[in-house]
Amino acid sequence: MEAAAVAATKPLIKVVAICGSVREGSYNRGLIRCAIEISKSSMSGVEIENVDISKLPLLNTDLEGKGTFPPVVEAFRQKIREADSILFASPEYNYSVSAPLKNALDWASRPPNVWADKAAAIISASGGSGGSRSQYHLRQIGVFLDLHFINKPEFFLNAFQPPAKFDENNNLIDAQTKENLKKVLLSLQAFTLRLQGR
């Protein structure tokens, strides 16, 4: 069987991509755009949907009814519920994850926890260490949420170190970084299928 035919038989996995920055010009948002492009142009069996978390209200259990959530929260939870795996693009704020991302994590963890038993990967574009501290903190949070993160490859991008990694529209342009991002997606795909026994 030809390689193209083999690739076409791969089961489809649905990946929800979440950017921890709500800023339109975020480099992490640029990473997600590139991941979506890679999944469409040079991978098979992976469908990535960018899910916006900017409209989620601050977590307040007073907003919950008996087993119900505000419509915007319920819509977000449903996206997570339907996903096979999660791709987090996590900037680093004060050695940790961003407030919008933590808020999204908390809303989707309200009973029933819709993160449970899903595969996940983290990518980061930041200064300094490229977001490594935020990633390690997110992994700690993931223990309680019962998320299963891939361990390798890790992806930390110092967005400000030359040569330029992004263009004037914050789109990823560095070829090696794109290749590193593709390796993360391939690892997430393989791990998701293994976790699901497919």
Side-chain angles (χ1 to χ4, degrees), residues 175-191:
Q176 184 57 59
T177 303
K178 286 184 178 183
E179 185 60 31
N180 293 342
L181 180 54
K182 183 177 179 179
K183 289 176 182 177
V184 171
L185 297 178
L186 288 169
S187 179
L188 178 61
Q189 179 185 32
F191 184 55

Side-chain angles (χ1 to χ4, degrees), residues 142-159:
V143 172
F144 183 81
L145 301 180
D146 198 23
L147 279 166
H148 306 293
F149 286 102
I150 64 169
N151 289 323
K152 300 290 181 181
E154 295 179 297
F155 186 104
F156 312 121
L157 177 63
N158 185 327

Side-chain angles (χ1 to χ4, degrees), residues 28 40 46 57 87 89 95-96 98 100 129 141-142 155 164 167 188 191:
N28 287 280
K40 290 178 178 178
V46 176
L87 177 67
Y95 284 13
S96 186
S98 68
S129 62
I141 296 167
F155 186 104
D167 65 15
L188 178 61
F191 184 55

Side-chain angles (χ1 to χ4, degrees), residues 101-121:
L101 179 54
K102 183 61 166 63
N103 188 55
L105 291 166
D106 291 344
W107 267 124
S109 73
R110 296 294 299 157
N113 170 25
V114 294
W115 300 112
D117 215 27
K118 294 189 185 293

Side-chain angles (χ1 to χ4, degrees), residues 78-141:
Q78 186 61 27
K79 290 289 186 183
I80 304 304
R81 188 180 287 112
E82 293 171 353
D84 295 300
S85 53
I86 313 297
L87 177 67
F88 293 100
S90 180
E92 184 174 313
Y93 291 5
N94 300 323
Y95 284 13
S96 186
V97 298
S98 68
L101 179 54
K102 183 61 166 63
N103 188 55
L105 291 166
D106 291 344
W107 267 124
S109 73
R110 296 294 299 157
N113 170 25
V114 294
W115 300 112
D117 215 27
K118 294 189 185 293
I122 319 170
I123 54 179
S124 294
S126 197
S129 62
S132 61
R133 295 181 185 91
S134 75
Q135 289 202 22
Y136 295 147
H137 196 182
L138 181 51
R139 286 176 180 274
Q140 288 180 311
I141 296 167

